[in-house]
Amino acid sequence: MSERDLILNIIDNNASLPYGTIAWEAPSNIALVKYWGKKPGQIPVNPSLSFSLQHCLTRTEVTFTEKRAKSKKPEIGYTFNNRPTKAFSTRIENYFHSILTEIPWVTELRLKINSYNTFPDSAGIASSASAFASLALVLAQYEYTLIEKAPDAAMFQRASHLARLGSGSAARSVYGGWASWGLAAHLPDASDEFAIPFTEVHPAFKGLNDAILIVSSEKKAVSSSKGHALMDTNPFKSMRITQAGNNHSKMLEILKNGDLMAFIELAENEAMTLHAMMMTSNPGYILLKPGSLPIIHAVRAFREKTGLPVGFTIDAGPNIHLLYFNEDKERIVPFIKNELIAFCEDSHWINDGIGQGPLLLNHTFQVE
Ligand code: PMV
């Protein structure tokens, strides 16, 4: 019997569900090959590749207790930093509503959810990846508790699948190091349904840093979901899909062979293409801010001058993620402080890097 069937059996037999608390911490991630454009059911139009961050994390704790009312709806209470938040609560409620057939057991329980971010809300860093990854890990772990199974690779795959249904990029945040999401002919285990870890990575990438230069923390004028939708009518859509597939394959090769300069150049190419897709959508739009451009120019001039493998990637926003390696830290950090911080909002930057991945923080269940 499959794990799914075992779980459904427990519910069908009206067995009492366990009450307890589970908490997981999950990282935010930054994509080097960008997911941009999707098909119904949160299916990506192209494969993507990212690494998980070390310091930008969400911790989500869920307490599973007895339901108060007899209804076929789950009872969900959501707080952020122990305070109610209207906007994200609605998103979480919609999420549960949309995955009821995936996790039918949830209608039998009352869930008290509290999330906490280790990075400031105002940093303009997308927190949906770490938020949905940490929540999905809790849900997957609850299922494993139901069938009395210890966490294994399949549990993380299940969590990745559930996270994807909340936010596409969250699928990649259930792993540490590198993760790939989306079908790719050159990566046989890849799937549109969930991300997989990519581990054949040259040791040179262990020392990868991501200095997040906060150019603006303002709310984006065009959300990622609108941006994905605008790809449907983008005249360059099919070319972008082909390019993303090729870049994904090239990036995997680069990760294997450790060519740091090729890595930097490809990362920049992907970031520029992402923003080109926004500009060439209809209507076109620009998420970069005036401060983003001098940073881009300064980074390229510094690379030209020093020959160091330092470059940037950019998410769907104005902030610049400076990619560099540990052995160059002593030259890069002064460069950031002397030349780049001037373009950051309130001189704000976050010195992050590649992280180990999610962590189980609490798993406490009442003994029968
Ligand atoms: O997961 P979403 O729907 O917020 O989309 C994220 C898209 C990018 O961050 C721009 C790229 C990516 O692959 O993470």
Short mmCIF file of all heavy atoms in Angstrom, two decimals, residues 69-131:
data_model
loop_
_atom_site.label_atom_id
_atom_site.label_comp_id
_atom_site.label_asym_id
_atom_site.label_seq_id
_atom_site.Cartn_x
_atom_site.Cartn_y
_atom_site.Cartn_z
N ALA A 69 -15.74 22.97 15.91
CA ALA A 69 -17.06 22.79 15.28
C ALA A 69 -17.05 21.55 14.41
O ALA A 69 -15.99 21.10 13.96
CB ALA A 69 -17.37 24.01 14.43
N LYS A 70 -18.27 20.98 14.21
CA LYS A 70 -18.36 19.82 13.31
C LYS A 70 -18.66 20.34 11.91
O LYS A 70 -19.79 20.66 11.58
CB LYS A 70 -19.49 18.89 13.77
CG LYS A 70 -19.13 17.92 14.86
CD LYS A 70 -19.70 16.53 14.55
CE LYS A 70 -19.24 15.43 15.48
NZ LYS A 70 -17.82 15.40 15.76
N SER A 71 -17.64 20.49 11.09
CA SER A 71 -17.88 20.93 9.72
C SER A 71 -16.85 20.24 8.83
O SER A 71 -15.93 19.61 9.32
CB SER A 71 -17.72 22.45 9.62
OG SER A 71 -16.35 22.76 9.72
N LYS A 72 -17.01 20.41 7.53
CA LYS A 72 -16.06 19.77 6.62
C LYS A 72 -14.97 20.75 6.19
O LYS A 72 -14.28 20.56 5.21
CB LYS A 72 -16.81 19.18 5.41
CG LYS A 72 -17.32 17.79 5.67
CD LYS A 72 -16.15 16.78 5.73
CE LYS A 72 -16.48 15.55 6.57
NZ LYS A 72 -15.26 14.87 7.06
N LYS A 73 -14.86 21.83 6.99
CA LYS A 73 -13.83 22.83 6.67
C LYS A 73 -12.71 22.70 7.69
O LYS A 73 -12.97 22.43 8.87
CB LYS A 73 -14.44 24.22 6.83
CG LYS A 73 -15.20 24.69 5.60
CD LYS A 73 -15.13 26.17 5.55
CE LYS A 73 -16.30 26.99 5.54
NZ LYS A 73 -16.52 28.16 6.14
N PRO A 74 -11.47 22.93 7.29
CA PRO A 74 -10.41 22.92 8.30
C PRO A 74 -10.52 24.18 9.16
O PRO A 74 -11.02 25.20 8.69
CB PRO A 74 -9.13 22.95 7.48
CG PRO A 74 -9.51 23.55 6.17
CD PRO A 74 -10.95 23.25 5.95
N GLU A 75 -10.09 24.10 10.41
CA GLU A 75 -10.06 25.30 11.26
C GLU A 75 -8.63 25.79 11.33
O GLU A 75 -7.77 25.13 11.92
CB GLU A 75 -10.58 24.96 12.66
CG GLU A 75 -12.09 24.90 12.72
CD GLU A 75 -12.60 24.52 14.10
OE1 GLU A 75 -11.82 24.50 15.08
OE2 GLU A 75 -13.80 24.20 14.19
N ILE A 76 -8.37 26.91 10.68
CA ILE A 76 -7.00 27.41 10.56
C ILE A 76 -6.89 28.77 11.24
O ILE A 76 -7.66 29.68 10.94
CB ILE A 76 -6.60 27.61 9.06
CG1 ILE A 76 -6.96 26.39 8.21
CG2 ILE A 76 -5.13 28.01 8.94
CD1 ILE A 76 -6.07 25.19 8.38
N GLY A 77 -5.96 28.88 12.15
CA GLY A 77 -5.65 30.20 12.73
C GLY A 77 -4.21 30.53 12.35
O GLY A 77 -3.31 29.70 12.52
N TYR A 78 -4.00 31.69 11.74
CA TYR A 78 -2.65 32.03 11.30
C TYR A 78 -2.16 33.32 11.94
O TYR A 78 -2.88 34.32 11.94
CB TYR A 78 -2.60 32.17 9.77
CG TYR A 78 -1.22 32.54 9.27
CD1 TYR A 78 -0.25 31.56 9.12
CD2 TYR A 78 -0.89 33.87 9.02
CE1 TYR A 78 1.03 31.90 8.70
CE2 TYR A 78 0.40 34.21 8.60
CZ TYR A 78 1.35 33.22 8.45
OH TYR A 78 2.62 33.55 8.05
N THR A 79 -0.98 33.29 12.51
CA THR A 79 -0.36 34.51 13.01
C THR A 79 1.07 34.59 12.48
O THR A 79 1.69 33.57 12.16
CB THR A 79 -0.32 34.55 14.56
OG1 THR A 79 0.27 33.34 15.02
CG2 THR A 79 -1.70 34.73 15.16
N PHE A 80 1.54 35.82 12.39
CA PHE A 80 2.92 36.06 11.99
C PHE A 80 3.57 36.79 13.16
O PHE A 80 3.05 37.82 13.60
CB PHE A 80 2.95 36.90 10.70
CG PHE A 80 4.32 37.13 10.18
CD1 PHE A 80 5.01 36.10 9.55
CD2 PHE A 80 4.95 38.35 10.34
CE1 PHE A 80 6.30 36.29 9.10
CE2 PHE A 80 6.23 38.55 9.88
CZ PHE A 80 6.91 37.51 9.26
N ASN A 81 4.66 36.24 13.69
CA ASN A 81 5.27 36.79 14.91
C ASN A 81 4.23 36.89 16.04
O ASN A 81 4.18 37.89 16.75
CB ASN A 81 5.85 38.18 14.67
CG ASN A 81 7.14 38.10 13.90
OD1 ASN A 81 7.74 37.04 13.81
ND2 ASN A 81 7.56 39.23 13.34
N ASN A 82 3.37 35.89 16.12
CA ASN A 82 2.31 35.82 17.12
C ASN A 82 1.25 36.91 17.00
O ASN A 82 0.47 37.12 17.92
CB ASN A 82 2.89 35.82 18.55
CG ASN A 82 3.64 34.53 18.81
OD1 ASN A 82 3.12 33.45 18.53
ND2 ASN A 82 4.86 34.63 19.31
N ARG A 83 1.23 37.61 15.87
CA ARG A 83 0.20 38.64 15.66
C ARG A 83 -0.60 38.30 14.40
O ARG A 83 -0.03 37.83 13.41
CB ARG A 83 0.85 40.02 15.45
CG ARG A 83 1.33 40.61 16.74
CD ARG A 83 1.58 42.10 16.60
NE ARG A 83 2.73 42.45 17.41
CZ ARG A 83 3.93 42.76 16.92
NH1 ARG A 83 4.12 42.84 15.64
NH2 ARG A 83 4.93 43.04 17.74
N PRO A 84 -1.91 38.58 14.44
CA PRO A 84 -2.71 38.31 13.22
C PRO A 84 -2.27 39.21 12.07
O PRO A 84 -1.92 40.37 12.30
CB PRO A 84 -4.15 38.68 13.65
CG PRO A 84 -4.11 38.90 15.11
CD PRO A 84 -2.69 39.14 15.53
N THR A 85 -2.21 38.67 10.86
CA THR A 85 -1.89 39.51 9.69
C THR A 85 -2.90 39.19 8.61
O THR A 85 -2.98 38.06 8.15
CB THR A 85 -0.50 39.20 9.10
OG1 THR A 85 -0.43 37.80 8.88
CG2 THR A 85 0.65 39.65 9.95
N LYS A 86 -3.64 40.20 8.22
CA LYS A 86 -4.77 40.00 7.30
C LYS A 86 -4.31 39.42 5.95
O LYS A 86 -4.78 38.38 5.52
CB LYS A 86 -5.49 41.35 7.12
CG LYS A 86 -6.73 41.28 6.27
CD LYS A 86 -7.95 40.88 7.10
CE LYS A 86 -9.18 40.68 6.25
NZ LYS A 86 -9.19 39.46 5.46
N ALA A 87 -3.35 40.10 5.31
CA ALA A 87 -2.99 39.75 3.93
C ALA A 87 -2.51 38.30 3.82
O ALA A 87 -3.03 37.53 3.01
CB ALA A 87 -1.93 40.70 3.42
N PHE A 88 -1.55 37.93 4.67
CA PHE A 88 -1.00 36.57 4.52
C PHE A 88 -1.99 35.51 5.03
O PHE A 88 -2.02 34.40 4.51
CB PHE A 88 0.38 36.46 5.16
CG PHE A 88 1.25 35.46 4.45
CD1 PHE A 88 1.64 35.66 3.13
CD2 PHE A 88 1.65 34.29 5.06
CE1 PHE A 88 2.41 34.72 2.44
CE2 PHE A 88 2.44 33.34 4.40
CZ PHE A 88 2.81 33.56 3.09
N SER A 89 -2.83 35.89 6.02
CA SER A 89 -3.83 34.94 6.52
C SER A 89 -4.75 34.50 5.40
O SER A 89 -5.07 33.31 5.26
CB SER A 89 -4.71 35.58 7.60
OG SER A 89 -3.97 35.81 8.73
N THR A 90 -5.18 35.47 4.58
CA THR A 90 -6.08 35.14 3.47
C THR A 90 -5.38 34.20 2.50
O THR A 90 -5.96 33.23 2.02
CB THR A 90 -6.51 36.44 2.74
OG1 THR A 90 -6.95 37.35 3.74
CG2 THR A 90 -7.60 36.20 1.74
N ARG A 91 -4.09 34.48 2.23
CA ARG A 91 -3.35 33.62 1.29
C ARG A 91 -3.24 32.20 1.85
O ARG A 91 -3.38 31.22 1.11
CB ARG A 91 -1.96 34.24 1.04
CG ARG A 91 -1.20 33.50 0.00
CD ARG A 91 -0.17 34.32 -0.71
NE ARG A 91 0.58 33.44 -1.61
CZ ARG A 91 1.76 33.72 -2.10
NH1 ARG A 91 2.34 34.87 -1.82
NH2 ARG A 91 2.39 32.87 -2.90
N ILE A 92 -2.99 32.11 3.17
CA ILE A 92 -2.87 30.77 3.79
C ILE A 92 -4.21 30.03 3.74
O ILE A 92 -4.27 28.84 3.43
CB ILE A 92 -2.36 30.92 5.25
CG1 ILE A 92 -0.94 31.47 5.29
CG2 ILE A 92 -2.47 29.61 6.03
CD1 ILE A 92 0.15 30.49 4.91
N GLU A 93 -5.29 30.77 4.03
CA GLU A 93 -6.62 30.13 3.98
C GLU A 93 -6.92 29.62 2.57
O GLU A 93 -7.40 28.51 2.39
CB GLU A 93 -7.70 31.13 4.39
CG GLU A 93 -7.99 31.05 5.87
CD GLU A 93 -8.84 32.21 6.34
OE1 GLU A 93 -9.74 32.64 5.59
OE2 GLU A 93 -8.56 32.70 7.45
N ASN A 94 -6.62 30.46 1.57
CA ASN A 94 -6.85 30.04 0.18
C ASN A 94 -6.00 28.82 -0.17
O ASN A 94 -6.42 27.93 -0.90
CB ASN A 94 -6.52 31.18 -0.80
CG ASN A 94 -7.50 32.32 -0.67
OD1 ASN A 94 -8.59 32.13 -0.13
ND2 ASN A 94 -7.12 33.50 -1.14
N TYR A 95 -4.79 28.83 0.37
CA TYR A 95 -3.87 27.71 0.12
C TYR A 95 -4.49 26.41 0.63
O TYR A 95 -4.59 25.42 -0.10
CB TYR A 95 -2.53 28.00 0.80
CG TYR A 95 -1.56 26.83 0.82
CD1 TYR A 95 -1.07 26.29 -0.37
CD2 TYR A 95 -1.11 26.29 2.03
CE1 TYR A 95 -0.16 25.23 -0.35
CE2 TYR A 95 -0.21 25.24 2.05
CZ TYR A 95 0.26 24.71 0.86
OH TYR A 95 1.16 23.67 0.88
N PHE A 96 -4.96 26.44 1.90
CA PHE A 96 -5.54 25.22 2.47
C PHE A 96 -6.77 24.79 1.68
O PHE A 96 -6.98 23.61 1.42
CB PHE A 96 -5.87 25.42 3.96
CG PHE A 96 -4.68 25.15 4.83
CD1 PHE A 96 -3.89 26.18 5.30
CD2 PHE A 96 -4.33 23.85 5.15
CE1 PHE A 96 -2.78 25.93 6.08
CE2 PHE A 96 -3.21 23.58 5.94
CZ PHE A 96 -2.43 24.62 6.40
N HIS A 97 -7.57 25.78 1.29
CA HIS A 97 -8.76 25.48 0.52
C HIS A 97 -8.37 24.76 -0.79
O HIS A 97 -9.00 23.79 -1.18
CB HIS A 97 -9.49 26.79 0.22
CG HIS A 97 -10.86 26.56 -0.30
ND1 HIS A 97 -11.90 26.12 0.52
CD2 HIS A 97 -11.36 26.64 -1.55
CE1 HIS A 97 -12.96 25.97 -0.22
NE2 HIS A 97 -12.67 26.28 -1.48
N SER A 98 -7.28 25.23 -1.42
CA SER A 98 -6.90 24.68 -2.72
C SER A 98 -6.23 23.31 -2.61
O SER A 98 -6.14 22.60 -3.61
CB SER A 98 -5.96 25.65 -3.45
OG SER A 98 -4.70 25.67 -2.81
N ILE A 99 -5.77 22.93 -1.43
CA ILE A 99 -5.09 21.63 -1.32
C ILE A 99 -5.88 20.60 -0.49
O ILE A 99 -5.33 19.59 -0.06
CB ILE A 99 -3.64 21.76 -0.78
CG1 ILE A 99 -3.60 22.39 0.62
CG2 ILE A 99 -2.76 22.55 -1.74
CD1 ILE A 99 -2.26 22.22 1.33
N LEU A 100 -7.18 20.87 -0.30
CA LEU A 100 -7.98 19.96 0.54
C LEU A 100 -7.99 18.52 0.01
O LEU A 100 -7.97 17.58 0.80
CB LEU A 100 -9.42 20.46 0.67
CG LEU A 100 -9.62 21.61 1.67
CD1 LEU A 100 -11.09 21.92 1.82
CD2 LEU A 100 -8.99 21.28 3.03
N THR A 101 -7.99 18.36 -1.31
CA THR A 101 -8.00 16.99 -1.83
C THR A 101 -6.63 16.33 -1.63
O THR A 101 -6.52 15.11 -1.58
CB THR A 101 -8.37 16.95 -3.33
OG1 THR A 101 -7.53 17.89 -4.00
CG2 THR A 101 -9.83 17.29 -3.56
N GLU A 102 -5.59 17.15 -1.52
CA GLU A 102 -4.24 16.63 -1.27
C GLU A 102 -4.10 16.17 0.18
O GLU A 102 -3.44 15.19 0.47
CB GLU A 102 -3.21 17.75 -1.49
CG GLU A 102 -2.94 18.08 -2.91
CD GLU A 102 -1.95 17.12 -3.53
OE1 GLU A 102 -1.28 16.37 -2.79
OE2 GLU A 102 -1.86 17.12 -4.77
N ILE A 103 -4.67 16.97 1.10
CA ILE A 103 -4.51 16.66 2.53
C ILE A 103 -5.89 16.62 3.21
O ILE A 103 -6.19 17.44 4.08
CB ILE A 103 -3.57 17.68 3.24
CG1 ILE A 103 -3.97 19.13 2.97
CG2 ILE A 103 -2.12 17.48 2.85
CD1 ILE A 103 -3.32 20.13 3.93
N PRO A 104 -6.71 15.63 2.82
CA PRO A 104 -8.09 15.59 3.35
C PRO A 104 -8.15 15.49 4.87
O PRO A 104 -9.11 15.94 5.48
CB PRO A 104 -8.68 14.34 2.68
CG PRO A 104 -7.52 13.56 2.18
CD PRO A 104 -6.42 14.53 1.92
N TRP A 105 -7.10 14.94 5.49
CA TRP A 105 -7.07 14.79 6.95
C TRP A 105 -7.19 16.13 7.67
O TRP A 105 -7.63 16.20 8.82
CB TRP A 105 -5.79 14.06 7.39
CG TRP A 105 -4.52 14.61 6.80
CD1 TRP A 105 -3.89 14.15 5.67
CD2 TRP A 105 -3.74 15.71 7.25
NE1 TRP A 105 -2.77 14.89 5.41
CE2 TRP A 105 -2.64 15.86 6.37
CE3 TRP A 105 -3.83 16.60 8.33
CZ2 TRP A 105 -1.67 16.85 6.51
CZ3 TRP A 105 -2.87 17.58 8.49
CH2 TRP A 105 -1.82 17.71 7.58
N VAL A 106 -6.83 17.22 6.97
CA VAL A 106 -6.77 18.51 7.64
C VAL A 106 -8.17 18.99 8.04
O VAL A 106 -8.32 19.78 8.99
CB VAL A 106 -6.02 19.55 6.77
CG1 VAL A 106 -6.91 20.15 5.69
CG2 VAL A 106 -5.42 20.65 7.63
N THR A 107 -9.20 18.47 7.37
CA THR A 107 -10.57 18.91 7.71
C THR A 107 -11.02 18.36 9.07
O THR A 107 -12.02 18.77 9.61
CB THR A 107 -11.58 18.45 6.63
OG1 THR A 107 -11.50 17.03 6.55
CG2 THR A 107 -11.30 19.08 5.28
N GLU A 108 -10.27 17.41 9.60
CA GLU A 108 -10.62 16.80 10.90
C GLU A 108 -9.94 17.50 12.06
O GLU A 108 -10.07 17.07 13.20
CB GLU A 108 -10.18 15.32 10.94
CG GLU A 108 -10.59 14.48 9.75
CD GLU A 108 -12.08 14.25 9.71
OE1 GLU A 108 -12.67 14.12 10.78
OE2 GLU A 108 -12.64 14.22 8.59
N LEU A 109 -9.18 18.55 11.79
CA LEU A 109 -8.32 19.12 12.83
C LEU A 109 -8.45 20.64 12.93
O LEU A 109 -8.95 21.30 12.02
CB LEU A 109 -6.85 18.81 12.53
CG LEU A 109 -6.42 17.35 12.65
CD1 LEU A 109 -5.13 17.12 11.89
CD2 LEU A 109 -6.27 16.96 14.12
N ARG A 110 -7.96 21.14 14.07
CA ARG A 110 -7.80 22.59 14.22
C ARG A 110 -6.29 22.87 14.20
O ARG A 110 -5.52 22.24 14.93
CB ARG A 110 -8.39 22.97 15.59
CG ARG A 110 -8.22 24.39 15.98
CD ARG A 110 -8.95 24.66 17.30
NE ARG A 110 -8.51 25.93 17.87
CZ ARG A 110 -8.84 27.10 17.38
NH1 ARG A 110 -9.65 27.18 16.33
NH2 ARG A 110 -8.40 28.21 17.95
N LEU A 111 -5.88 23.81 13.34
CA LEU A 111 -4.45 24.11 13.18
C LEU A 111 -4.17 25.54 13.64
O LEU A 111 -4.80 26.48 13.12
CB LEU A 111 -4.02 23.99 11.71
CG LEU A 111 -3.55 22.65 11.19
CD1 LEU A 111 -4.62 21.59 11.34
CD2 LEU A 111 -3.13 22.77 9.74
N LYS A 112 -3.27 25.67 14.59
CA LYS A 112 -2.83 27.01 15.00
C LYS A 112 -1.42 27.18 14.43
O LYS A 112 -0.49 26.47 14.81
CB LYS A 112 -2.81 27.06 16.53
CG LYS A 112 -2.75 28.45 17.08
CD LYS A 112 -2.98 28.40 18.60
CE LYS A 112 -2.12 29.45 19.25
NZ LYS A 112 -0.92 29.02 19.91
N ILE A 113 -1.30 28.12 13.47
CA ILE A 113 -0.03 28.28 12.75
C ILE A 113 0.61 29.60 13.13
O ILE A 113 -0.05 30.65 13.10
CB ILE A 113 -0.28 28.29 11.21
CG1 ILE A 113 -1.10 27.07 10.79
CG2 ILE A 113 1.02 28.37 10.44
CD1 ILE A 113 -1.60 27.12 9.35
N ASN A 114 1.87 29.56 13.49
CA ASN A 114 2.60 30.82 13.70
C ASN A 114 3.92 30.76 12.92
O ASN A 114 4.64 29.77 12.97
CB ASN A 114 2.88 31.06 15.18
CG ASN A 114 3.55 32.41 15.39
OD1 ASN A 114 3.07 33.45 14.95
ND2 ASN A 114 4.72 32.40 16.01
N SER A 115 4.18 31.85 12.17
CA SER A 115 5.43 31.93 11.41
C SER A 115 6.27 33.09 11.90
O SER A 115 5.74 34.08 12.40
CB SER A 115 5.13 32.14 9.93
OG SER A 115 4.69 30.95 9.36
N TYR A 116 7.56 32.95 11.69
CA TYR A 116 8.50 33.99 12.09
C TYR A 116 9.62 34.03 11.05
O TYR A 116 10.11 32.98 10.63
CB TYR A 116 9.04 33.63 13.48
CG TYR A 116 10.30 34.36 13.87
CD1 TYR A 116 10.23 35.63 14.41
CD2 TYR A 116 11.56 33.77 13.67
CE1 TYR A 116 11.41 36.32 14.75
CE2 TYR A 116 12.73 34.44 14.01
CZ TYR A 116 12.64 35.72 14.54
OH TYR A 116 13.78 36.38 14.85
N ASN A 117 9.96 35.23 10.59
CA ASN A 117 11.06 35.37 9.62
C ASN A 117 12.32 35.87 10.32
O ASN A 117 12.24 36.79 11.13
CB ASN A 117 10.71 36.39 8.52
CG ASN A 117 9.72 35.84 7.53
OD1 ASN A 117 9.44 34.65 7.53
ND2 ASN A 117 9.20 36.69 6.69
N THR A 118 13.46 35.32 9.95
CA THR A 118 14.71 35.81 10.54
C THR A 118 15.20 37.08 9.83
O THR A 118 16.16 37.68 10.25
CB THR A 118 15.84 34.76 10.45
OG1 THR A 118 16.03 34.47 9.06
CG2 THR A 118 15.49 33.50 11.21
N PHE A 119 14.54 37.46 8.73
CA PHE A 119 14.95 38.65 8.01
C PHE A 119 13.83 39.69 8.10
O PHE A 119 12.66 39.33 8.20
CB PHE A 119 15.30 38.35 6.55
CG PHE A 119 14.27 37.52 5.82
CD1 PHE A 119 13.38 38.11 4.95
CD2 PHE A 119 14.20 36.15 6.00
CE1 PHE A 119 12.44 37.35 4.26
CE2 PHE A 119 13.25 35.38 5.32
CZ PHE A 119 12.38 35.98 4.46
N PRO A 120 14.21 40.98 8.05
CA PRO A 120 13.18 41.99 8.24
C PRO A 120 12.16 41.97 7.11
O PRO A 120 12.50 41.76 5.95
CB PRO A 120 13.95 43.32 8.25
CG PRO A 120 15.31 42.99 7.73
CD PRO A 120 15.55 41.53 7.91
N ASP A 121 10.91 42.16 7.50
CA ASP A 121 9.79 42.23 6.58
C ASP A 121 10.01 43.27 5.49
O ASP A 121 9.59 43.11 4.36
CB ASP A 121 8.60 42.75 7.40
CG ASP A 121 7.53 41.73 7.50
OD1 ASP A 121 7.79 40.59 7.12
OD2 ASP A 121 6.44 42.11 7.96
N SER A 122 10.70 44.32 5.90
CA SER A 122 10.85 45.48 5.03
C SER A 122 12.06 45.34 4.10
O SER A 122 12.43 46.27 3.43
CB SER A 122 11.06 46.71 5.90
OG SER A 122 12.18 46.49 6.71
N ALA A 123 12.66 44.13 4.04
CA ALA A 123 13.89 44.02 3.25
C ALA A 123 13.61 43.84 1.76
O ALA A 123 14.53 43.81 0.95
CB ALA A 123 14.74 42.87 3.77
N GLY A 124 12.35 43.72 1.41
CA GLY A 124 12.02 43.52 0.00
C GLY A 124 12.46 42.14 -0.48
O GLY A 124 12.66 41.90 -1.66
N ILE A 125 12.63 41.21 0.44
CA ILE A 125 13.01 39.84 0.06
C ILE A 125 11.74 38.99 0.10
O ILE A 125 11.02 39.02 1.09
CB ILE A 125 14.04 39.26 1.06
CG1 ILE A 125 15.28 40.11 1.05
CG2 ILE A 125 14.36 37.81 0.74
CD1 ILE A 125 16.22 39.79 2.16
N ALA A 126 11.51 38.27 -0.98
CA ALA A 126 10.29 37.45 -1.03
C ALA A 126 10.35 36.43 0.08
O ALA A 126 11.33 35.71 0.21
CB ALA A 126 10.21 36.76 -2.38
N SER A 127 9.31 36.38 0.91
CA SER A 127 9.33 35.41 2.00
C SER A 127 8.39 34.25 1.70
O SER A 127 8.29 33.33 2.49
CB SER A 127 8.93 36.08 3.32
OG SER A 127 7.64 36.61 3.20
N SER A 128 7.71 34.28 0.54
CA SER A 128 6.73 33.22 0.31
C SER A 128 7.42 31.86 0.12
O SER A 128 6.87 30.84 0.51
CB SER A 128 5.81 33.55 -0.87
OG SER A 128 6.57 33.78 -2.01
N ALA A 129 8.64 31.85 -0.43
CA ALA A 129 9.32 30.56 -0.64
C ALA A 129 9.61 29.89 0.70
O ALA A 129 9.25 28.72 0.91
CB ALA A 129 10.61 30.76 -1.43
N SER A 130 10.23 30.64 1.62
CA SER A 130 10.56 30.03 2.92
C SER A 130 9.30 29.78 3.74
O SER A 130 9.22 28.79 4.48
CB SER A 130 11.55 30.91 3.68
OG SER A 130 11.12 32.25 3.72
N ALA A 131 8.29 30.66 3.60
CA ALA A 131 7.06 30.50 4.37
C ALA A 131 6.33 29.22 3.94
O ALA A 131 5.98 28.38 4.79
CB ALA A 131 6.15 31.71 4.19
#
